[in-house]
């Protein structure tokens, strides 16, 4: 999540209704960005003239549009908001989807950032950002930057328990930890899945409720594929593969995740780690996820895990050379693993 001092300072400002002239939100956690942006919007009334007092620019715009928006004034109220999303002006490296500002554009923004108006609250919300950028440094000097990273598993578990209690439901620590571990990252995803549970369950949310109604992440489905492999359950394995195919998950992406899991399990075996907290520290994951890796590591021999990890680069070459399709390569890889388990 965002740095504690940033969040504490931001909450204090919002609580006192004392706004800075500029905020720059960035990071992976969209939920937190939108939460605090909404609170800022609530503190700046638009006097019923949204067209003049709520200027929103989504994506890269022409510099005439930026200039007109920046130089505008509020109408029938003391302040207005200029909201700029995904401008990419705080980047320095070009990629497929990102074009950083050229020298002329950089000078344009350095001038704008040096001259903030008292009657406008400027909000930048960015997915792509580099702290080495001169524009980022200028923004950090003139306004407030807030890095909204994904929350840690323990924080998410606490969030789930509190939200359930507010809705008149109960969920214990272990079940909340399980929920956090099986959904895709991001509070938006977690909130959507928790809302489904709150509507489905009775007074208490059980693990069986989660298994029945929650959409599990691809990573969790890969764990289930590995369980199916070690159990020799071919039907289970290919049912999950077909489900992933329906969800448009690429065959190579699934292959890579199986490889990644095998690599982590091999790492734990070679280090002779058997404690889930130690495993979590080594792998940088939640204790619940670490337990899954440990369980898998116990079911495979060191030799089998080594073969699982060394085989994938060979398959990658076969796919790239056109001798086999991604789908067929994945299926063949799984058959090879299951054959080695006999």
């Amino acid at each position: 999540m965002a740095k504690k001092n940033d969040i504490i300072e931001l909450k204090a400002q919002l609580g006192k209704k004392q706004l800075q002239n500029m905020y720059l939100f960035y990071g992976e956690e969209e939920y937190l960005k939108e939460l605090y942006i909404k609170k800022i919007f609530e503190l700046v009334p638009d006097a019923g003239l949204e067209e003049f007092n709520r200027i929103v620019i989504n994506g890269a715009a022409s510099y005439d549009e930026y200039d007109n928006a920046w130089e505008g004034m509020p109408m029938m109220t003391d302040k207005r908001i200029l909201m700029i999303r995904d401008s990419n002006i705080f980047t320095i490296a070009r990629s497929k989807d990102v074009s950083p500002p050229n020298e002329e554009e950089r000078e344009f923004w350095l001038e704008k950032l040096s001259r903030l108006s008292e009657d406008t609250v400027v909000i930048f919300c960015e997915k792509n950002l580099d702290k080495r950028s001169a524009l980022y440094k200028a923004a950090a000097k003139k306004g407030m930057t807030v890095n909204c990273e994904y929350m840690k598993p323990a924080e998410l578990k606490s969030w789930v328990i509190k939200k359930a209690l507010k809705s008149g439901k109960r969920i214990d620590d272990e079940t909340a930890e399980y929920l956090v571990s099986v959904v895709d990252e991001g509070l938006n995803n977690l909130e959507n899945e928790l809302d489904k549970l709150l509507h489905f369950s009775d007074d208490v949310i059980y693990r069986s409720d989660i298994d029945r109604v929650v959409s599990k992440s691809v990573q969790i489905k890969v764990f289930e594929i590995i369980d199916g492999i070690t159990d020799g359950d071919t039907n289970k394995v290919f049912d999950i593969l077909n489900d992933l195919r329906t969800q448009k998950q690429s065959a190579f992406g699934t292959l890579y995740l199986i490889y990644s899991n095998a690599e982590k399990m091999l790492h734990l075996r070679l280090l002779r780690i058997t404690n889930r907290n130690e495993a979590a520290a080594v792998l940088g994951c939640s204790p619940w996820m670490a337990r899954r890796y440990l369980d898998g590591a116990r079911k495979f021999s060191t030799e089998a895990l080594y073969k699982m990890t060394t085989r994938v680069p060979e398959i990658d070459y076969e796919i790239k050379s056109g001798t086999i399709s991604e789908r067929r390569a994945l299926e063949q890889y799984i058959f090879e693993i299951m054959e080695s388990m006999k």
Side-chain angles (χ1 to χ4, degrees):
M1 61 189 298
K3 292 186 297 183
K4 295 294 184 184
N5 56 338
D6 283 355
I7 288 295
I8 291 171
E9 185 180 346
L10 180 59
K11 285 183 175 178
Q13 288 181 14
L14 298 178
K16 295 176 183 178
K17 301 182 180 180
Q18 297 174 345
L19 296 177
Q20 292 201 17
N21 291 330
M22 187 183 69
Y23 295 90
L24 168 55
F25 292 92
Y26 65 100
E28 300 165 314
E29 185 51 85
E30 297 297 327
Y31 184 99
L32 289 179
K33 292 181 192 174
E34 298 308 322
L35 173 67
Y36 290 113
I37 288 171
K38 181 180 177 183
K39 290 181 182 295
I40 293 171
F41 267 70
E42 289 171 350
L43 293 177
V44 183
D46 65 8
L49 297 169
E50 186 174 348
E51 181 182 355
F52 297 97
N53 299 323
R54 294 284 189 273
I55 310 302
V56 178
I57 300 176
N58 293 310
S62 71
Y63 275 71
D64 282 343
E65 184 177 354
Y66 282 134
D67 188 56
N68 290 335
W70 199 275
E71 301 302 331
M73 298 176 61
M75 184 75 70
M76 304 296 292
T77 186
D78 294 332
K79 283 185 182 289
R80 67 180 184 132
I81 288 178
L82 170 57
M83 175 84 223
I84 301 174
R85 292 183 183 273
D86 300 323
S87 67
N88 292 328
I89 68 168
F90 302 101
T91 60
I92 59 176
R94 183 178 299 276
S95 68
K96 180 181 178 182
D97 301 317
V98 176
S99 295
N102 59 34
E103 186 175 347
E104 182 181 353
E105 292 165 345
R106 195 161 49 248
E107 290 302 318
F108 170 91
W109 282 113
L110 285 172
E111 193 276 329
K112 295 297 183 190
L113 293 173
S114 71
R115 186 172 50 80
L116 297 174
S117 172
E118 292 295 327
D119 61 18
T120 300
V121 177
V122 179
I123 305 172
F124 287 97
C125 185
E126 301 288 331
K127 289 188 178 70
N128 302 301
L129 179 146
D130 192 318
K131 289 184 178 181
R132 297 171 297 176
S133 153
L135 292 178
Y136 172 83
K137 292 173 182 177
K141 186 176 181 180
K142 297 295 289 187
M144 183 175 190
T145 63
V146 185
N147 184 7
C148 298
E149 298 175 331
Y150 286 136
M151 294 170 68
K152 293 181 172 59
E155 295 171 316
L156 291 171
K157 182 176 73 171
S158 176
W159 184 87
V160 165
I161 292 170
K162 289 177 182 177
K163 187 170 175 64
L165 285 173
K166 277 187 179 180
S167 300
K169 306 286 180 82
R170 287 184 294 117
I171 182 171
D172 64 33
D173 277 17
E174 188 172 349
T175 307
E177 183 181 2
Y178 177 63
L179 174 63
V180 167
S181 298
V182 301
V183 301
D184 283 317
E185 286 187 299
L187 271 170
N188 281 326
N189 290 321
L190 184 57
E191 184 176 51
N192 289 338
E193 298 305 325
L194 180 57
D195 284 344
K196 284 159 61 174
L197 276 173
L198 293 173
H199 285 97
F200 173 83
S201 66
D202 294 324
D203 293 341
V204 180
I205 298 172
Y206 296 102
R207 179 167 174 158
S208 58
D209 298 327
I210 295 171
D211 289 334
R212 289 183 68 181
V213 303
V214 166
S215 298
K216 295 180 180 177
S217 70
V218 173
Q219 174 64 70
I220 295 303
K221 290 185 177 181
V222 169
F223 275 130
E224 293 174 348
I225 288 173
I226 291 173
D227 288 341
I229 290 171
T230 56
D231 294 339
D233 191 340
T234 306
N235 289 334
K236 175 181 178 179
V237 170
F238 282 88
D239 281 346
I240 297 170
L241 287 178
N242 288 332
D243 185 35
L244 290 172
R245 189 175 188 176
T246 301
Q247 294 176 19
K248 309 297 184 184
Q249 170 70 15
S250 75
F252 188 81
T254 303
L255 175 69
Y256 178 79
L257 284 172
I258 296 173
Y259 159 79
S260 178
N261 280 18
E263 191 176 46
K264 289 181 174 67
M265 292 186 285
L266 178 61
H267 190 50
L268 294 178
R269 281 190 72 91
L270 293 176
L271 292 177
R272 297 182 180 180
I273 291 175
T274 57
N275 178 278
R276 74 169 186 163
N277 289 325
E278 278 186 67
V282 167
L283 299 177
C285 64
S286 70
W288 188 89
M289 292 287 279
R291 184 169 59 193
R292 294 299 299 261
Y293 289 121
L294 285 171
D295 288 344
R298 294 186 188 104
K299 294 176 181 178
F300 290 97
S301 67
T302 302
E303 182 182 8
L305 290 170
Y306 180 75
K307 286 181 178 177
M308 288 170 68
T309 54
T310 56
R311 180 74 180 101
V312 171
E314 297 172 353
I315 294 173
D316 183 40
Y317 176 77
E318 292 167 8
I319 292 171
K320 288 176 179 176
S321 64
T323 58
I324 192 170
S325 70
E326 290 187 9
R327 176 62 48 184
R328 180 59 187 152
L330 172 60
E331 293 171 351
Q332 182 175 298
Y333 177 65
I334 288 172
F335 278 126
E336 288 176 10
I337 299 170
M338 295 187 80
E339 188 65 29
S340 71
M341 299 291 293
K342 294 180 180 178

